[in-house]
Every structure is written in C-alpha cells, then in structure tokens.
Amino acid sequence: MRKGLPTVMELVKKTADFFAAEGIASARLDAEVLLADVLGLDRIHLYVNFDRPLEEAEVDRYRQAVIRRAQRVPVAYITGEKEFMSLPFSVNPQVLIPRPETELLVERVVSLLPREFATGGAKVADIGTGSGVIAICLALQSQVEEVWATDISPSALQVARANAARHQVEGKIRWVQGDMLKPLEHLGPDFFDFIVSNPPYVPTAAIGKDCPEVLKEPRKALDGGRDGLAYYRILVDQAPGLLRPGGWLCLEIGADQGPRVQRLMEQSGRFDSPQIIKDLANLDRVVIGRVR
C-alpha cells in the first residue's frame, strides 16, 4: 500500500471539489456514487465506511472513473447501471439513460389499469423501448397480459432483453426491431389497450445545448426533429389504428410541449379530451388521450 492513501471521506471530498471546479452540478453525489460502485457498496454503507483507508488498487480504479466523469461521460454509463421505479437496470451508451420524469408516465398507465383490467388481460405496446424500463415495469403489473416493445436499434433491444431477464418478465414481453409502429402494423386494428412511448422529443438544434452529458447518449433517442414533435405526429396519426375503442395513447413530453401535443390529439379527431399531466415540479410531463 502506498503511503498517504486517502480515506473514503477524504477522497470523496477531494473529488467533489474537483468535479465542482469542472462545472459538474451534481459534484458530491457523483463522487459518492462512483466510489460506492468501485467499492461494491451502496451509498449508505459508503457513509458507514467514511474513515476507512483505501487500497491502492481501489484508488486507481476510482481515478479512472473520475477521469471519465470529468470528460462528461454520464455516471450511469460509467457504473453500467441506473435505478428506475426503485429497480436496478443495466445501461450502456447504446441506450438512453432512464430519467426519473419517465416514472410519471409508468405511474399514470398503472393508475388506469385497475379500472380497465381488474382481472388482467391488458395488451400494451412500448414504442422506442430503449433499455426496456417502461416495458418491464408494466410487465411486472398483474393486470398486464403482454407487452410488445419496439426499437429501431438492435443494440438497444439486446440491453432491454437482458434487463427483462434480470427482472424475470421475459415471458411477458415480445421484442420487435423496427421504426416506431411499423413492426406492429400486421397485428391489425383493436389489438392494444395501451400504446405508451417516451419518444425522442428534443429539438435538433437544442441537443446538448444545456447539458453536455447528453451528447454521450444515442442521438436517435433524443432528436425529435426541428420542433421536437416529429415522433408525436407519427404516434398520434398511427396509434388509433392499433388501439381498441377506449384504448389509451400515453406519451411523455418535454416540459414546454404539453399544449402542442394535446392539440395534435385534438386536431386528429380520434381522441376524447386529451389531458396534460404535470410532474411534482408542476411542469407538463405526460399527455394521455383515449381513442373514441
């Protein structure tokens, strides 16, 4: 062991100061999460062990993680994992990192399930599944019979399948490679009870503008076209052809997109009274519409 190796607390503080100087907003949190990952601990046990001197190999592994974070590689890509709905999911640069905001979309769909399917049987489509978090969390619901999950990226579907196996729901999910709703067209009308999506919704010119870490994520999962609404137009136009009467289209949106996506549904003439759902910060986060 090298002389002068730091304790857990000393290294976390030093790294947090370094991250802050680099302009990383979540400096302390990132320093703790990365060290906890290196040590194989959760953050609670990291605190318990704050006065423990580190081994040389641990310091070296941590240094490599710190270098990558300073290069604005997202923490989830460094650790290979992200929590969603209190469950762990594997992630890599082939998939968008799950955001806490998307949990509201899942919660809204789940809130509709008891009224609609008290005895089970709901068929759900997750469009642009990415790491599979939406599909998997819905498949875990007893009211859901099956989930069809699409993604244009075979690499993303590989991650999603591994996550489904991890949470033991692979038997309830059908993974289909293809663009948006195209790989589901053969199922015909009135097939799904819910179509759910967190589509790419960042306007092309705004990608990475306020958060350089976003540039490390797959662009196809972010780029919503010139105005950010390209994929909402596709979903609003095509989803009613696959939903049964009374079925739901449930979409995550950008915080400034609520009225515009709601208007798309209203103008289509296929949905009854589309609603905007706000998140805990009182920002527009989800739009839902019920097919007539």
Side-chain angles (χ1 to χ4, degrees):
M1 181 184 293
R2 291 197 301 253
K3 289 185 178 180
L5 286 170
T7 64
V8 168
M9 181 182 294
E10 289 168 344
L11 192 54
V12 164
K13 184 180 186 306
K14 181 178 179 180
T15 304
D17 291 344
F18 169 67
F19 283 163
E22 292 290 311
I24 295 173
S26 52
R28 176 77 180 208
L29 175 62
D30 290 0
E32 292 176 358
V33 170
L34 290 175
L35 187 54
D37 181 65
V38 166
L39 300 179
L41 302 172
D42 56 32
R43 287 178 62 217
I44 293 175
H45 288 92
L46 191 72
Y47 281 99
V48 172
N49 288 277
F50 256 176
D51 59 350
R52 174 170 86 77
L54 293 165
E55 300 289 337
E56 183 175 344
E58 294 169 338
V59 174
D60 290 342
R61 289 199 304 274
Y62 185 59
R63 182 180 293 112
Q64 294 305 309
V66 169
I67 290 171
R68 293 183 68 197
R69 184 68 188 104
Q71 294 169 341
R72 296 308 180 107
V73 177
V75 170
Y77 288 160
I78 299 172
T79 64
E81 192 161 285
K82 182 69 174 179
E83 185 178 282
F84 183 83
M85 300 291 288
S86 300
L87 296 172
F89 288 89
S90 298
V91 295
N92 65 30
Q94 304 304 314
V95 298
L96 193 72
I97 298 169
R99 268 65 169 180
E101 293 85 356
T102 306
E103 294 184 2
L104 180 62
L105 176 64
V106 174
E107 290 167 356
R108 177 55 54 167
V109 176
V110 171
S111 75
L112 295 170
L113 285 170
R115 295 202 304 270
E116 299 295 312
F117 303 97
T119 59
K123 290 183 172 63
V124 180
D126 174 26
I127 309 303
T129 193
S131 61
V133 294
I134 294 173
I136 291 164
C137 288
L138 293 176
L140 286 166
Q141 307 302 312
S142 61
Q143 304 98 318
V144 173
E145 178 182 337
E146 64 179 3
V147 180
W148 292 66
T150 75
D151 204 287
I152 198 169
S153 166
S155 298
L157 289 174
Q158 185 176 1
V159 175
R161 285 191 183 98
N163 279 322
R166 182 177 187 177
H167 294 291
Q168 301 180 350
V169 291
E170 62 267 43
K172 290 181 69 173
I173 304 177
R174 302 192 185 197
W175 307 101
V176 189
Q177 184 187 350
D179 190 12
M180 299 296 287
L181 294 161
K182 286 183 181 178
L184 305 179
E185 290 175 351
H186 69 283
L187 297 172
D190 302 344
F191 190 86
F192 291 106
D193 302 291
F194 292 86
I195 293 179
V196 184
S197 184
N198 175 22
Y201 60 68
V202 182
T204 303
I207 295 174
K209 188 174 181 180
D210 299 320
C211 181
E213 283 84 352
V214 167
L215 296 174
K216 304 292 186 180
E217 299 186 70
R219 189 178 183 91
K220 283 185 177 180
L222 295 163
D223 193 343
R226 183 183 58 80
D227 62 356
L229 301 181
Y231 293 99
Y232 296 107
R233 294 187 180 96
I234 294 171
L235 287 160
V236 169
D237 178 61
Q238 298 180 7
L242 290 167
L243 284 164
R244 66 170 177 81
W248 292 90
L249 176 61
C250 303
L251 306 172
E252 181 174 340
I253 57 170
D256 63 346
Q257 294 173 327
R260 288 181 290 163
V261 175
Q262 183 183 45
R263 195 174 306 118
L264 286 174
M265 287 191 183
E266 291 170 343
Q267 292 173 346
S268 77
R270 304 290 300 277
F271 298 91
D272 285 325
S273 304
Q275 303 172 44
I276 300 171
I277 312 299
K278 294 184 179 292
D279 62 19
L280 293 176
N282 203 36
L283 298 173
D284 293 352
R285 187 54 60 191
V286 171
V287 173
I288 62 173
R290 196 169 198 181
V291 175
R292 290 176 176 170

